[in-house]
Amino acid sequence: QQPNLLSKFRGSVLGGLVGDCCGEPYEGQVLTDGDKAILRRSLNQLEGPYFKAPAKKYTDDSAMTRSVIRCLIEHKDINTKELATSFVKEHAAEPNRGYGGAVVEVFRKLLKNKFTDIVGPAQEQFLGRGSYGNGAAMRVSPIGLFCYNKPEKLVELVKKSAEITHSHSLGINGAVLQAAAVNICVQKDPKTFFHDEFLSELIPKMQELEKESEVPGIKASGPNFTQQLKEVKTLLDSPNPLSEDEVLNALGHDVTAIYSVPTAIFIFLRAQGPIEGIQSENPFRRTLEYAISLGGDTDTIASMACSLTGALHGDSLIPENLLKHCEAHGEFIELANKLYESSI
Ligand code: R7I
Ligand code: MG
Ligand code: MG
Ligand code: MG
């Protein structure tokens, strides 16, 4: 039967955690065939009979996602001052979670201005253009869940959550894209799920959004999310087997939002069917293994992709023992339950 709503919330939140924890050791790498074989064996082991091992550590992706979830639980809204304070506190307590290279400067300035100006520091990043990193997108999936019955609030809540660290339109719109994708997944029945239908809901939303963020009179240079989603569709509809190079040339896999969020969506969609070279029958496992095997920003891309598969299928596809190997999994189960309570 259709996974219930609570299961979808848990699937998405825990999927995000598992992707982050399992992707972390590979962040920034390009995987050889040998590395991929090791990855497969390691995931098989983690999914198999439970054994004692040091927990797989989460990174900034999950630390910041947790702050977003707590804020939604407490305020049923994004309170930017509280969320900014929570980001800064988390970072101060555990600065070595792998935060983005530039975002720590925002935290420093927020502390210095004592949270009197929440958005100014982000606006000063990169010579006043703002960051187009994927940091706003990597933490935003819970907003897609929270808005399952109030989709009209999604863009506003995402923008408020993003602007604390990211003011570049690509950084913000990438976050809207990830949240909107989660939001659609929550509504869908996995048994009748088709990528065409999913993309034909998502593409017009991004088209509308990107029209708004165009600066009048100035033609946007460089790709936008609408174009990248069309690339996703072209790749998925290709009659020929896809090479990794084709995927990476079209979509990328780096720490920028434009070259990682569409990639995560592509991985999620492709993993709904069999993928050459990946043996699992489980779409969640295929999402996780495929995301990491593509290399690059593996913790973030796996986290975003797995939170989509989790939102579609619910938590029943997440291997129980694999989850148990992830740091703070119990806490994230509780947070998912409470987020569900506060959303309905
Ligand atoms: O976006 P952000 O929080 O980083 C998230 C990434 C994820 O992969 C996490 O797992 C973690 O590893 O970091 O942090 P930012 O520092 O704002 O952006 C990340 C990086 O994107 C920056 O350090 C830059 O390398 C790049 N970047 C830019 N480069 C040039 N010009 C972002 N914006 C710009 C830019 O405007
Ligand atoms: Mg990280
Ligand atoms: Mg970051
Ligand atoms: Mg990352």
Side-chain angles (χ1 to χ4, degrees):
Q1 87 250 28
Q2 246 273 58
N4 67 36
L5 192 58
L6 174 59
S7 162
K8 282 171 164 273
F9 271 61
R10 289 165 60 140
S12 183
V13 169
L14 299 174
L17 177 71
V18 170
D20 182 24
C21 292
C22 295
E24 183 275 332
Y26 298 89
E27 194 181 26
Q29 291 184 34
V30 173
L31 283 78
T32 63
D33 287 343
D35 295 330
K36 288 179 198 170
I38 292 169
L39 168 67
R40 172 161 322 142
R41 238 177 298 144
S42 141
L43 291 176
N44 285 343
Q45 236 171 28
L46 294 167
E47 277 186 29
Y50 189 77
F51 60 96
K52 258 187 120 67
K56 299 189 83 63
K57 296 274 190 195
Y58 65 79
T59 78
D60 60 325
D61 301 53
S62 297
M64 296 187 93
T65 302
R66 179 170 56 195
S67 291
V68 172
I69 298 176
R70 284 180 179 151
C71 183
L72 289 169
I73 292 170
E74 196 166 323
H75 301 283
K76 296 187 196 287
D77 194 0
I78 294 297
N79 176 320
T80 51
K81 187 171 178 182
E82 299 242 337
L83 184 56
T85 308
S86 174
F87 287 158
V88 169
K89 269 194 186 157
E90 278 288 336
H91 173 259
E94 296 181 310
N96 298 326
R97 290 277 182 187
Y99 285 85
V103 73
V104 294
E105 176 69 6
V106 173
F107 300 155
R108 200 185 59 76
K109 288 183 179 169
L110 284 168
L111 263 178
K112 197 164 166 229
N113 78 27
K114 302 201 169 66
F115 300 94
T116 51
D117 179 9
I118 303 299
V119 297
Q123 288 167 353
E124 287 168 19
Q125 294 292 87
F126 295 98
L127 305 170
R129 281 165 305 168
S131 170
Y132 50 62
N134 57 20
M138 74 187 183
R139 63 183 185 236
V140 84
S141 295
I143 297 180
L145 298 172
F146 179 78
C147 290
Y148 85 93
N149 58 355
K150 35 190 162 330
E152 72 286 352
K153 284 194 150 181
L154 183 138
V155 173
E156 188 211 326
L157 290 180
V158 171
K159 285 186 172 172
K160 284 200 284 183
S161 74
E163 69 186 1
I164 300 166
T165 52
H166 293 68
S167 72
H168 195 291
S169 63
L170 289 176
I172 296 170
N173 290 350
V176 175
L177 174 56
Q178 173 65 18
V182 168
N183 192 259
I184 296 173
C185 285
V186 184
Q187 325 282 343
K188 297 287 177 203
D189 179 348
K191 280 206 278 323
T192 56
F193 183 83
F194 295 107
H195 71 75
D196 279 358
E197 194 189 305
F198 175 85
L199 287 172
S200 63
E201 281 186 44
L202 199 51
I203 290 174
K205 285 188 208 289
M206 292 313 289
Q207 231 155 6
E208 203 190 307
L209 184 77
E210 293 189 311
K211 234 185 271 149
E212 283 167 22
S213 49
E214 263 172 31
V215 182
I218 300 177
K219 204 159 161 26
S221 63
N224 63 29
F225 290 101
T226 307
Q227 288 161 7
Q228 292 307 97
L229 288 173
K230 289 178 181 166
E231 290 281 349
V232 168
K233 185 169 162 47
T234 305
L235 288 169
L236 291 167
D237 290 340
S238 162
N240 307 314
L242 283 177
S243 75
E244 216 170 273
D245 281 350
E246 274 176 280
V247 173
L248 296 182
N249 286 336
L251 302 176
H253 63 175
D254 66 27
V255 296
T256 67
I258 191 70
Y259 295 123
S260 60
V261 183
T263 316
I265 290 171
F266 168 78
I267 290 163
F268 151 66
L269 291 173
R270 186 162 184 216
Q272 298 314 305
I275 302 174
E276 209 192 326
I278 292 181
Q279 274 132 32
S280 179
E281 298 292 310
N282 176 344
F284 182 84
R285 166 63 190 267
R286 285 197 295 261
T287 306
L288 180 65
E289 187 174 332
Y290 186 43
I292 299 172
S293 73
L294 286 176
D297 192 1
T298 48
D299 62 336
T300 303
I301 294 174
S303 179
M304 293 190 294
C306 289
S307 82
L308 292 169
T309 296
L312 178 62
H313 291 275
D315 62 353
S316 67
L317 290 190
I318 302 179
E320 222 178 297
N321 287 338
L322 176 65
L323 178 63
K324 280 193 195 144
H325 284 291
C326 297
E327 184 186 10
H329 62 274
E331 189 187 351
F332 277 81
I333 292 173
E334 270 313 296
L335 286 170
N337 292 343
K338 288 189 182 148
L339 179 65
Y340 167 78
E341 295 285 321
S342 81
S343 304
I344 54 175

